[in-house]
């Protein structure tokens, strides 16, 4: 593992509070949709809210991804250079790419 | 408003419990992601969880949309025929299409 | 099959020219991306173009979907009422929903 | 500009032929959809094809993105270290993140 990417030192660590705040807001939005359904609100209005939650989750993903690239992937690049083993970087890039692919499809 | 689509009689009413159950599960997943961030878990694992939440929300959207089409849109079609006013159906279809578009982009 | 949805009478038939025009434009955009790669243009600019093509394809999908709902699905609803068989409508709604799901994931 | 990311030396250069082959195939798929509309084929079958094109375009995007990260972003990281200016890397990561965001919404 890269020294930039071990426990308690992930890319996102410095923005932890911001991420948690966003996720608590999203949790509230999910509860809001439950209330809308419970109160028999109009389907389209509920769908609008669900789309807003998806957007908010995408914003969280992008933030995590950005930090992951600038810390973990870049750290792996550094390690690949230091050790002469290109596969350390390659593995990290492929892992990030698979994560992006899952987010695109979700 | 179509008689199929007024208060307490939306398309989704009969599946209310199923939707609420799904949304409570999603709420739990969102809290799970907060915990993962709080415990400094690996970024990619968090992104995988966020993608899973997006997927679960899409399933909820699709369920609501399906019920909306078979009740509200079809009800509007019936009303358009009864009144001879094609715009009642048109408006509902455009509204559904706008909702689908928002979900596609989210 | 519903009389609104048989050969040469699909929902989209009246807008055929508009759809074809859009798709020829998209075909040109795809050739444009080939040219960009051939000329070694900057990766991010190419990705921007690919995102634009995806957007244009989504607009085509939404147009087709809107017409499909107002013709084929509504036609199936009419047929379900005339025959007393709810499954005709149900099948069409599920088919549309599966198509929307594929578009959401793509 | 990073030495890994200048003209004729982008990340994707080594896979140029593979990308071009894929895009020519996509071009053919777009023409196929035109033919389907011209022959009044069933709306849902056309939507299935459009979803397949979107998927193929996403695969191209991911390939370009992967190469962009391992060449251009990593190159910018190296430059940031050599010059002591963190903004070179930061700018590249933000640019990549914006591209990912556009692809997610498309």
């Amino acid at each position: 593992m890269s020294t930039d990417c071990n426990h308690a030192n992930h890319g996102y660590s410095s923005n932890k509070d911001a991420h948690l705040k966003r996720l608590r807001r999203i949790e509230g939005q999910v509860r809001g949709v439950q209330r809308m359904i419970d109160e028999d609100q109009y389907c389209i209005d509920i769908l609008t809210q669900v789309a807003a939650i998806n957007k908010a989750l995408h914003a969280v993903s992008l933030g995590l991804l950005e930090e992951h690239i600038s810390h973990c992937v870049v750290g792996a690049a550094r390690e690949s250079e230091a050790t002469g083993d290109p596969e350390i970087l390659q593995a990290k890039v492929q892992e990030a790419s698979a994560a992006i692919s899952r987010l695109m499809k979700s």
Side-chain angles (χ1 to χ4, degrees), chain A:
Chain A
M1 269 304 132
S2 151
T3 50
D4 279 288
C5 202
N6 49 12
H7 188 69
N9 189 17
H10 294 299
Y12 64 81
S13 299
S14 52
N15 290 317
K16 227 167 133 164
D17 288 343
H19 291 311
L20 286 174
K21 207 176 151 187
R22 274 178 160 183
L23 282 160
R24 274 192 292 264
R25 225 187 135 241
I26 290 168
E27 193 193 326
Q29 287 177 295
V30 175
R31 268 199 300 270
V33 171
Q34 292 170 31
R35 207 163 28 240
M36 290 177 90
I37 287 182
D38 206 49
E39 297 172 353
D40 297 298
Q41 289 191 32
Y42 185 46
C43 346
I44 295 291
D45 295 336
I46 299 173
L47 289 172
T48 303
Q49 263 313 98
V50 174
I53 299 174
N54 274 321
K55 264 203 168 154
L57 283 167
H58 273 156
V60 171
S61 311
L62 268 182
L64 291 169
L65 209 50
E66 231 176 82
E67 292 154 8
H68 178 71
I69 292 171
S70 43
H71 292 256
C72 304
V73 176
V74 164
R78 211 177 291 134
E79 216 179 312
S80 266
E81 248 164 86
T83 60
D85 177 4
E87 276 182 30
I88 299 170
L89 170 60
Q90 244 163 57
K92 278 285 174 217
V93 170
Q94 263 158 26
E95 189 190 48
S97 168
I100 296 169
S101 173
R102 278 191 298 274
L103 290 168
M104 273 178 167
K105 283 175 198 151
S106 72

